[in-house]
């Protein structure tokens, strides 16, 4: 079989490297380009004309939908969306019958999505996908008329959800509300408001939730970008804390400082972040 050409677009180098490594195990795929910004992605896609496009949605300045709009539906290859924002990704993309990878994804999910995409390309896709892409981009363009700068990121509404203003919808779509946890043969969604704190574990992160821990395939830095800063605070290079769980700030036995959470857990506090925590505690007090 002729090889399939792929382009990877993600503003996180670690994420691009992960997809590239998974694709390297497939002898039918050749990565012909990468991009870390939406603007550079347009140039790479138009230049390389790939068969497959792994496209991150949330990127600064020019998001994934901006990229697709700039390319135009007729020239868009088979797209595999990559996103961490589960509150709209699954619903929006399944309605449009498009493939997606919801961060953090495992190898099995990646292979499943890749096999579907390859079958689609090998089958010489008809105009159906292009038609759906046009409909999706038309909806995206309509959202641009809204006064909210984040309207393009707004999800399809949940079934039977009460009506919300466009600004409220955009704000909801901005921050992560659930984290996918995989382990012991099951997959579940962990609501972020239930998380007490998050600990760095190399290229993973460990969620501490009510005395239990869950390991997720996401770096602490990546999670920090996705969590509402009004709810979660990076207090140390190895820790993010749910602000509502902080009980007190106190010096430890080395005369450094640590945070004590409501359940008695102690979390290290870096010197450079102490002032921010003190301001938060003084406001809440």
């Amino acid at each position: 079989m002729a090889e399939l050409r792929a382009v990877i677009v993600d503003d996180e180098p670690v994420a691009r490297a992960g997809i590239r490594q998974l694709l390297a195990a497939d002898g039918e795929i050749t990565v012909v380009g990468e991009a870390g910004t939406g603007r550079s992605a347009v140039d790479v896609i138009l230049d390389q004309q790939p068969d497959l496009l792994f496209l991150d949605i949330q990127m600064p300045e020019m998001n994934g939908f901006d990229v697709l709009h700039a390319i135009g539906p007729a020239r868009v290859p088979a797209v595999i969306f990559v996103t961490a924002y589960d509150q709209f990704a699954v619903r929006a993309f399944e309605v449009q019958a498009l493939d997606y990878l919801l961060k953090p994804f495992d190898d099995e999910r990646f292979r499943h999505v890749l096999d579907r995409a390859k079958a689609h390309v090998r089958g010489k896709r008809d105009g159906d996908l292009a038609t759906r892409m046009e409909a999706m981009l038309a909806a995206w363009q309509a959202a641009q008329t809204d006064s909210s700068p984040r309207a393009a990121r707004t999800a399809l509404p949940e079934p039977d959800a009460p009506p919300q203003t466009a600004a409220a919808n955009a704000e909801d779509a901005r921050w992560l509300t659930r984290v996918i946890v995989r382990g012991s043969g099951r997959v579940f969604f962990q609501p972020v408001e239930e998380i007490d704190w998050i600990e760095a574990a190399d290229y993973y992160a460990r969620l501490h939730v009510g005395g239990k821990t869950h390991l997720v395939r996401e770096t602490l830095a990546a999670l920090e970008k996705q969590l509402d800063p009004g709810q979660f605070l990076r207090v140390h290079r190895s820790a993010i804390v749910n602000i509502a769980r902080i009980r007190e700030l106190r010096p430890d036995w080395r005369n450094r400082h640590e945070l004590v959470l409501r359940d008695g857990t102690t979390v290290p506090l870096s010197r450079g972040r102490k002032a921010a925590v003190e301001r938060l505690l003084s406001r809440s007090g």
Side-chain angles (χ1 to χ4, degrees):
M1 285 188 180
E3 68 177 17
L4 298 180
R5 297 157 56 82
V7 164
I8 305 168
V9 179
D10 199 301
D11 63 335
E12 296 182 3
V14 172
R16 295 199 305 273
I19 294 175
R20 186 171 62 249
Q21 182 177 359
L22 289 168
L23 289 175
D26 191 307
E28 299 178 30
I29 305 292
T30 298
V31 176
V32 295
E34 295 184 19
T37 67
R39 296 185 189 281
S40 60
V42 173
D43 292 335
V44 171
I45 295 165
L46 292 178
D47 180 59
Q48 295 296 330
Q49 299 183 13
D51 302 295
L52 295 175
L53 172 62
F54 292 84
L55 180 62
D56 188 16
I57 297 299
Q58 300 291 334
M59 296 182 291
E61 297 184 2
M62 191 174 185
N63 64 30
F65 293 110
D66 294 318
V67 171
L68 296 178
H69 178 65
I71 296 169
R75 291 183 290 181
V76 171
V79 179
I80 297 175
F81 289 103
V82 183
T83 180
Y85 290 78
D86 62 89
Q87 65 265 39
F88 70 86
V90 175
R91 185 170 302 278
F93 302 150
E94 283 189 340
V95 166
Q96 296 294 341
L98 300 172
D99 275 311
Y100 65 91
L101 287 167
L102 189 60
K103 299 177 182 178
F105 53 84
D106 58 21
D107 294 0
E108 182 178 356
R109 170 63 183 169
F110 184 88
R111 286 193 298 270
H112 174 71
V113 167
L114 183 59
D115 286 344
R116 286 181 58 185
K118 288 194 297 184
H120 174 75
V121 174
R122 300 290 190 202
K124 302 199 181 289
R125 66 177 184 176
D126 55 21
D128 185 46
L129 181 59
T131 300
R132 292 195 300 270
M133 186 71 70
E134 285 188 86
M136 182 183 69
L137 291 177
W140 174 85
Q141 285 181 291
Q144 302 309 292
T145 61
D146 193 279
S147 59
S148 168
R150 294 188 178 270
R153 301 181 181 184
T154 302
L156 296 181
E158 292 292 328
D160 303 321
Q164 291 182 299
T165 65
N169 276 332
E171 189 64 24
D172 287 344
R174 180 178 181 180
W175 306 117
L176 194 65
T177 60
R178 298 180 296 172
V179 178
I180 290 184
V181 177
R182 295 179 172 87
S184 303
R186 69 189 186 113
V187 178
F188 67 94
F189 292 94
Q190 173 60 58
V192 299
E193 67 268 16
E194 297 176 0
I195 299 172
D196 300 317
W197 69 290
I198 307 172
E199 180 182 13
D202 294 325
Y203 291 105
Y204 293 78
R206 185 172 289 108
L207 311 181
H208 293 262
V209 185
K212 297 180 180 180
T213 61
H214 307 295
L215 196 65
V216 297
R217 185 183 290 185
E218 191 73 275
T219 65
L220 200 68
L223 283 174
E224 182 184 12
K225 293 179 182 178
Q226 301 166 37
L227 292 168
D228 183 352
Q231 185 178 7
F232 287 88
L233 181 66
R234 183 78 173 264
V235 298
H236 191 271
R237 57 185 172 83
S238 64
I240 295 173
V241 169
N242 186 336
I243 296 169
R245 300 295 195 273
I246 300 175
R247 189 176 74 193
E248 64 176 306
L249 182 159
R250 71 183 185 192
D252 64 13
W253 61 274
R254 296 164 298 184
N255 203 32
R256 298 176 184 175
H257 286 82
E258 62 186 9
L259 295 173
V260 182
L261 306 188
R262 289 180 178 178
D263 64 358
T265 300
T266 58
V267 179
L269 174 64
S270 67
R271 185 177 304 172
R273 301 175 191 270
K274 179 173 174 287
V277 174
E278 286 178 328
R279 284 194 298 271
L280 279 171
L281 293 180
S282 63
R283 286 201 297 267
S284 62

